[in-house]
Amino acid sequence: MTVTGKKLTASPGAPGIPYYTPAQTPPAGTPLETDAELPTLFTPLKLRDLTLQNRFAVSPMCMYSADDGHLTDWHLVHIGAFALRGVALTIIEATAVTPNGRISPEDSGLWQDSQIAPLKRIVDFVHSQGQKIGIQLAHAGRKASTLSLWHAGARNVATEDLGGWPDNLWAPSAIAWDEGYPTPKEMTVAQIESLVQSFADAAKRAVQAGVDTIEIHGAHGYLISEFLSPISNWMEWAGQPSWDLEQSKRLAALLPDLGVDLLDVSSSGNNPKQKIELHPSYQTDLAGAIRDELRKQGKTLAIGAVGMISTAEMARSVVQADGKLAGEKDGTIELDGEHASKPKADLVLIARQFLREPEFVLKTATLLGVPVALPAQYSRAPFKKHRL
């Protein structure tokens, strides 16, 4: 029996949580049978002192539902649903380090201390389920002050009467995102230095709230991405200087020495004229190319892959080598067989499929024949493969 305050219970409570909830031992999504035949998707991933019990992560998703940057109970339910159902790592949506760095007026923020407590409430719940939680820190640059997706249309700019700040956008240069969008202000050196400090301050608040990891948003045409290139991937056809895959490989090789443990590979979003040939692996192929290059150079950096991962088989194939291993040479794994393939990533980051199926981890485990732990409270209702 365990004593929790004045309550006696046979079910130990989750440690370090300011209220009673049953400990999930092991956490949902943990394989119950450990052997060499487990799909890589359900093997642990260690990133420095952070260990994930499977290779699933929730990719940051803008929900446009915060209250002046403060997360609410809506976010608690939204994010908690994934942790409850076996996701090893959930990353909270793009969180602005300054008020004018929000994408929309309803974006998450961490520029003031009052935003720590609602974040910590969510962190505590995720930890109560034995899972890990991260946060993505960001500044939207010239793409800030827009409307949420369900309001956006012909008029996408959030004007002052809608809570926006179209006259206070920051960017490397005074160049608008596109026609009809406000022209940003070119940042001064003092503003750049101030913004660097804002990222540091937000990171400290995130640590104070108890997050396990922090992701810096450097993609999709937001401020950091804007400093790297005026236009980015998929723009090679335009005949202008463009951030491309080769430059991403060079950047990735620098990151381990800067203390980065994982690179979340994504693309597009930095120019409205981009041309993207959509197919199921258009994003994950980029991750695979960067991962291969890093291993050729002997660099230790985990790679995360995103984009259109919507089935159990695709999730499995992203992180697993298929075919007979022929050995390792020059830091790369060689495979025999005409259809052999190498892993493209070490972690799968999924967004929209988790919106469709919060139980995607548990469903995938069933489809792949991997017995995993369920939330203790849900253990009476396991998935049955013939019904999926």
Side-chain angles (χ1 to χ4, degrees):
M1 302 287 285
T2 299
V3 178
T4 307
K6 296 182 180 179
K7 180 181 179 181
L8 294 177
T9 175
S11 182
I17 305 302
Y19 52 85
Y20 172 77
T21 187
Q24 303 290 342
T25 309
T30 303
L32 298 177
E33 300 174 1
T34 55
D35 58 48
E37 299 303 316
L38 274 178
T40 304
L41 197 56
F42 286 96
T43 60
L45 176 64
K46 186 173 178 60
L47 301 170
R48 207 180 302 187
D49 58 353
L50 178 69
T51 299
L52 308 179
Q53 83 274 20
N54 59 48
R55 305 298 182 99
F56 288 92
V58 173
S59 190
M61 292 181 278
C62 293
M63 291 287 105
Y64 310 103
S65 301
D67 182 4
D68 191 28
H70 298 77
L71 300 179
T72 70
D73 285 359
W74 189 92
H75 297 91
L76 174 66
V77 175
H78 165 67
I79 293 167
F82 308 127
L84 182 67
R85 292 168 174 82
V87 180
L89 172 64
T90 300
I91 305 178
I92 295 173
E93 64 192 73
T95 298
V97 299
T98 63
N100 76 340
R102 291 171 291 171
I103 302 168
S104 82
E106 294 80 31
D107 273 22
S108 169
L110 206 49
W111 65 80
Q112 56 186 345
D113 289 349
S114 62
Q115 293 159 340
I116 297 173
L119 171 60
K120 186 177 187 303
R121 186 176 184 207
I122 295 170
V123 169
D124 284 344
F125 179 81
V126 171
H127 285 165
S128 79
Q129 302 307 300
Q131 314 291 12
K132 303 299 190 294
I133 185 166
I135 193 166
Q136 184 186 69
L137 300 182
H139 191 292
R142 66 181 182 175
K143 294 178 71 176
S145 192
T146 59
L147 296 173
S148 57
L149 292 178
W150 55 88
H151 291 133
R155 185 187 183 194
N156 192 35
V157 177
T159 51
E160 289 184 2
D161 60 307
L162 297 174
W165 50 99
D167 295 330
N168 188 29
L169 303 186
W170 286 358
S173 303
I175 302 173
W177 156 246
D178 196 12
E179 294 181 9
Y181 286 77
T183 300
K185 297 177 181 178
E186 181 175 318
M187 294 178 71
T188 65
V189 172
Q191 287 173 331
I192 294 173
E193 293 173 345
S194 173
L195 183 64
V196 171
Q197 186 61 51
S198 294
F199 269 95
D201 292 342
K204 291 176 182 176
R205 293 187 183 101
V207 171
Q208 189 174 340
V211 302
D212 300 292
T213 188
I214 294 172
E215 179 177 72
I216 303 299
H217 199 337
H220 299 166
Y222 297 127
L223 188 61
I224 292 177
S225 179
E226 291 166 18
F227 271 101
L228 293 175
S229 174
I231 56 175
S232 67
N233 37 61
W234 306 104
M235 292 295 293
E236 291 87 348
W237 62 271
Q240 302 178 48
S242 174
W243 187 271
D244 57 21
L245 178 58
E246 293 307 310
Q247 291 178 347
S248 293
K249 292 178 181 178
R250 290 168 56 193
L251 175 61
L254 301 175
L255 299 180
D257 293 336
L258 297 175
V260 177
D261 299 295
L262 182 139
L263 178 63
D264 177 0
V265 178
S266 188
S267 70
S268 74
N270 201 14
N271 193 288
K273 298 180 178 65
Q274 63 198 4
K275 293 182 178 179
I276 302 174
E277 183 183 344
L278 288 177
H279 54 84
S281 63
Y282 88 99
Q283 295 271 46
T284 59
D285 285 348
L286 299 173
I290 294 172
R291 189 177 188 274
D292 285 349
E293 180 62 27
L294 288 170
R295 275 147 184 74
K296 288 179 183 177
Q297 298 183 31
K299 298 288 185 177
T300 302
L301 179 68
I303 295 295
V306 301
M308 301 180 74
I309 300 172
S310 59
T311 67
E313 178 55 30
M314 184 173 182
R316 185 200 66 81
S317 67
V318 167
V319 296
Q320 183 160 327
D322 288 320
K324 181 181 176 182
L325 291 175
E328 187 165 338
K329 181 180 180 181
D330 299 327
T332 63
I333 295 176
E334 296 181 348
L335 296 163
D336 286 336
E338 182 181 355
H339 302 294
S341 65
K342 294 177 287 186
K344 297 178 181 178
D346 305 283
L347 183 72
V348 292
L349 294 107
I350 301 171
R352 296 182 188 183
Q353 193 60 29
F354 275 129
L355 295 182
R356 300 181 188 105
E357 295 183 300
E359 69 282 358
F360 185 64
V361 172
L362 305 179
K363 178 179 177 180
T364 296
T366 301
L367 289 170
L368 297 182
V370 181
V372 297
L374 300 178
Q377 300 93 326
Y378 291 9
S379 58
R380 72 186 72 179
F383 283 94
K384 295 183 179 180
K385 190 171 183 178
H386 67 275
R387 293 182 181 176
L388 294 174

